[in-house]
Amino acid sequence: ARAFRMCLEGAEEMSPHAVFYINAADTTAQEDSIELVRKLRPELLEKAISLEGRQSFISTAKARRFFGWEAQYSWTDLLGQG
């Protein structure tokens, strides 16, 4: 909801057909992203070499650039609760 609101508030500066990815900044895997690529898709290793930690494979950089949105939460925030 926050991303949608922020996008609407910044809509005048954007193309009416702009597309944004809104997702977590990290993966749901416990291993680092680069290790997942190394194990599961080694042919893509060169493209994934800049991934840090459990960084998501899908970038939200465009949403950050256009209207300042960044993920606030991670599934790991919920560990140990319940």
Side-chain angles (χ1 to χ4, degrees), residues 4-18 20 66-67:
F4 184 72
R5 178 188 49 80
M6 292 174 78
C7 184
L8 288 177
E9 289 171 353
E12 290 184 21
E13 292 87 38
M14 292 183 270
S15 161
H17 305 289
F20 302 93
F66 276 79
F67 51 92

Side-chain angles (χ1 to χ4, degrees), residues 1 6 8 15-16 20-21 41 45-46 53 69 81-82:
M6 292 174 78
L8 288 177
S15 161
F20 302 93
Y21 288 109
R41 296 295 302 269
L45 194 55
E46 187 176 308
W69 183 85
Q81 296 180 9

Side-chain angles (χ1 to χ4, degrees), residues 8-77:
L8 288 177
E9 289 171 353
E12 290 184 21
E13 292 87 38
M14 292 183 270
S15 161
H17 305 289
V19 177
F20 302 93
Y21 288 109
I22 304 298
N23 52 273
D26 58 351
T27 67
T28 57
Q30 293 181 345
E31 298 128 306
D32 286 350
S33 298
I34 195 72
E35 293 306 317
L36 292 173
V37 174
R38 190 172 279 125
K39 281 195 304 192
L40 303 172
R41 296 295 302 269
E43 71 277 12
L44 298 176
L45 194 55
E46 187 176 308
K47 292 182 180 190
I49 203 70
S50 65
L51 292 173
E52 296 179 6
R54 294 179 22 266
Q55 181 180 341
S56 176
F57 295 105
I58 300 171
S59 174
T60 59
K62 185 176 176 185
R64 184 173 47 252
R65 270 194 326 272
F66 276 79
F67 51 92
W69 183 85
E70 290 189 56
Q72 286 185 325
Y73 306 102
S74 168
W75 66 274
T76 58
D77 298 337

